[in-house]
């Protein structure tokens, strides 16, 4: 056997041994373990960043935030935006008329509606002993509660992302309240 044939034979034997080693001896985890560990740690990090609904409620009650009200009471529509900052509130309604308010005159501005349902603490008190139905939409969770307000069957839905409550909806035959929250700081 000449030198090139010996080299070729050694090369072929090396490839056969490597194939046998890869296919039959080494476990699959040998090739994927670093990727799996990375994926597992990434998914654990994502799960640990999710805030529980109880904590989200607590944060909403103690936070500063911007809000947007869309209210339908009977046949009257209210559309308002505002901000709560350190128990100071200011807002503006564009419907049914254009008017500005603060925490001092808010009761007067909303005299024709049940404004206690604009307060998260009152809403949470209504549903404290009720188990919700849970729904999940791409990155958004909905917690739906069934209760009664003034003897009317009422649905209260709380929408949240992984960090905070983004919206609360109350609806029954006589009213629909949609309250959106943004720019929270707690």
């Amino acid at each position: 056997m000449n030198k090139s044939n010996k080299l070729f034979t050694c090369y072929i034997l090396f490839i056969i041994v490597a194939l046998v080693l890869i296919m039959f001896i080494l476990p699959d985890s040998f090739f994927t373990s670093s990727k799996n560990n990375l994926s597992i740690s990434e998914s654990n990090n994502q799960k640990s960043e999710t805030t529980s609904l109880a904590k989200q409620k607590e944060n909403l009650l103690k936070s500063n935030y911007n809000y947007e009200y869309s209210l339908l009471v009977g046949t009257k529509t209210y559309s308002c935006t505002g901000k709560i900052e350190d128990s100071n509130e200011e807002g503006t309604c564009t419907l049914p008329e254009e008017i500005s308010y603060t925490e001092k005159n808010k009761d007067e501005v909303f005299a024709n509606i049940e404004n206690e349902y604009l307060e998260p603490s009152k809403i949470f008190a209504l549903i404290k002993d009720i188990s919700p139905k849970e729904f999940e939409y791409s990155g958004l969770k909905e917690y739906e509660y069934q209760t009664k307000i003034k003897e009317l069957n009422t649905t209260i839905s709380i929408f949240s992302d992984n960090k905070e409550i983004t919206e609360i909806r109350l609806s029954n035959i006589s009213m629909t309240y949609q309250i959106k929250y943004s720019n929270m700081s707690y």
Side-chain angles (χ1 to χ4, degrees):
M1 249 188 174
N2 65 19
K3 195 172 185 180
S4 66
N5 282 345
K6 284 183 184 180
L7 190 58
F8 184 71
T9 304
C10 287
Y11 180 70
I12 295 291
L13 284 175
F14 176 77
I15 290 177
I16 291 173
V17 169
L19 284 174
V20 168
L21 186 67
I22 291 170
M23 293 177 68
F24 300 111
I25 297 174
L26 292 176
D28 291 340
S29 62
F30 177 80
F31 300 102
T32 60
S33 63
S34 64
K35 288 182 181 177
N36 282 345
N37 288 341
L38 181 61
S39 302
I40 290 168
S41 66
E42 285 177 2
S43 64
N44 285 342
N45 285 340
Q46 289 173 349
K47 288 180 184 174
S48 67
E49 292 177 13
T50 300
T51 305
S52 70
L53 181 62
K55 182 67 175 167
Q56 290 179 13
K57 287 178 182 179
E58 182 182 313
N59 289 342
L60 180 61
L61 292 174
K62 68 179 180 182
S63 72
N64 301 319
Y65 54 83
N66 294 352
Y67 61 80
E68 181 182 323
Y69 298 151
S70 297
L71 314 174
L72 177 62
V73 182
T75 59
K76 207 169 213 178
T77 301
Y78 291 79
S79 181
C80 308
T81 58
K83 176 167 80 170
I84 294 180
E85 200 171 283
D86 299 324
S87 73
N88 295 319
E89 182 174 2
E90 57 184 47
T92 304
C93 292
T94 56
L95 289 173
E97 60 183 296
E98 193 161 325
I99 188 167
S100 295
Y101 60 90
T102 65
E103 69 278 354
K104 294 175 185 170
N105 69 340
K106 182 177 180 180
D107 290 336
E108 294 169 24
V109 171
F110 294 111
N112 296 329
I113 67 166
E114 297 175 44
N115 63 353
E116 67 265 20
Y117 302 122
L118 300 175
E119 301 295 328
S121 60
K122 306 281 184 178
I123 296 169
F124 297 152
L126 282 171
I127 59 175
K128 69 179 180 184
D129 297 325
I130 303 171
S131 296
K133 291 181 186 175
E134 294 182 31
F135 305 96
E136 191 163 346
Y137 315 102
S138 59
L140 189 68
K141 291 185 179 180
E142 177 185 2
Y143 302 89
E144 184 180 281
Y145 301 83
Q146 298 296 322
T147 188
K148 289 193 182 268
I149 294 178
K150 294 189 176 187
E151 302 304 317
L152 296 174
N153 292 332
T154 304
T155 300
I156 298 175
S157 296
I158 298 176
F159 296 87
S160 71
D161 57 20
N162 288 335
K163 298 272 188 198
E164 57 199 26
I165 293 173
T166 58
E167 183 178 339
I168 297 177
R169 288 185 198 158
L170 289 90
S171 60
N172 63 28
I173 198 163
S174 71
M175 68 178 192
T176 301
Y177 285 26
Q178 180 181 21
I179 308 162
K180 294 182 179 182
Y181 302 97
S182 61
N183 298 329
M184 283 192 199
S185 61
Y186 32 86

